[in-house]
Amino acid sequence: MTSSVTSTGPDWEQLRSHAISMAARAYVPYSHYPVGAAALVDDGRIIGGCNVENAGYGVTLCAECGLVSDLVVGGGGRLLAFVCVNADGDLITPCGRCRQLLWEHGGAALQVWSPAGVVPMTDLLPQAFGPEDLDVVATRHPAQ
Ligand code: THU
């Protein structure tokens, strides 16, 4: 599926509807809390993911993990707009770990439709640690 950014911005309802369809596929035998995620990529792709739980609870994959996998196997690119929902289609905010995942692939330019409205990732992850921080030290100490 593809979409585009118009003068009014991303088609947020299309993204939300894709996230809802992703939540319907969630594997959640433990929490019974389905999550669906969807995002617009800078080449127009709409990608998505759902949470996949595990008997080893800590191994659970959040919906955002599936979304990032979908991004990379589909050719990579930058995330422009992101939304995630619960089983009722309500907007939810990504968990802390997943904010870091999203930062890696969208950075400050990524817009998130949250329960508080559309916000930049910098609102959800202020003073984020990212690839640039690694570059600073790597530049000072180039590999032999
Ligand atoms: N969950 C996500 O998939 N993404 C989030 O950002 C928040 C939490 C999932 C993990 C677990 O399967 C369930 O929601 C309850 O925490």
Side-chain angles (χ1 to χ4, degrees):
M1 194 192 311
T2 59
S3 188
S4 58
V5 180
T6 65
S7 56
T8 55
D11 185 340
W12 288 108
E13 284 302 344
Q14 181 189 21
L15 280 183
R16 182 160 162 267
S17 142
H18 192 58
I20 289 169
S21 72
M22 292 290 107
R25 301 181 190 184
Y27 174 75
V28 288
Y30 308 107
S31 74
H32 306 288
Y33 186 84
V35 176
L40 172 65
V41 184
D42 61 357
D43 63 2
R45 271 143 67 216
I46 301 276
I47 57 169
C50 64
N51 50 339
V52 180
E53 298 187 341
N54 191 282
Y57 295 169
V59 185
T60 286
L61 303 175
C62 282
E64 292 87 341
C65 298
L67 178 133
V68 166
S69 179
D70 192 8
L71 173 70
V72 173
V73 295
R78 298 297 288 171
L79 301 174
L80 297 180
F82 171 86
V83 61
C84 59
V85 300
N86 63 22
D88 292 334
D90 303 323
L91 298 168
I92 59 171
T93 46
C95 76
R97 177 183 181 277
C98 290
R99 293 177 195 203
Q100 184 70 32
L101 273 183
L102 294 171
W103 183 266
E104 180 82 15
H105 300 281
L110 175 58
Q111 300 284 310
V112 177
W113 190 14
S114 78
V118 175
V119 297
M121 266 307 290
T122 45
D123 279 19
L124 296 180
L125 198 62
Q127 299 189 47
F129 179 86
E132 301 77 15
D133 295 287
L134 296 179
D135 291 342
V136 170
V137 174
T139 306
R140 282 190 206 131
H141 305 281
Q144 300 302 312

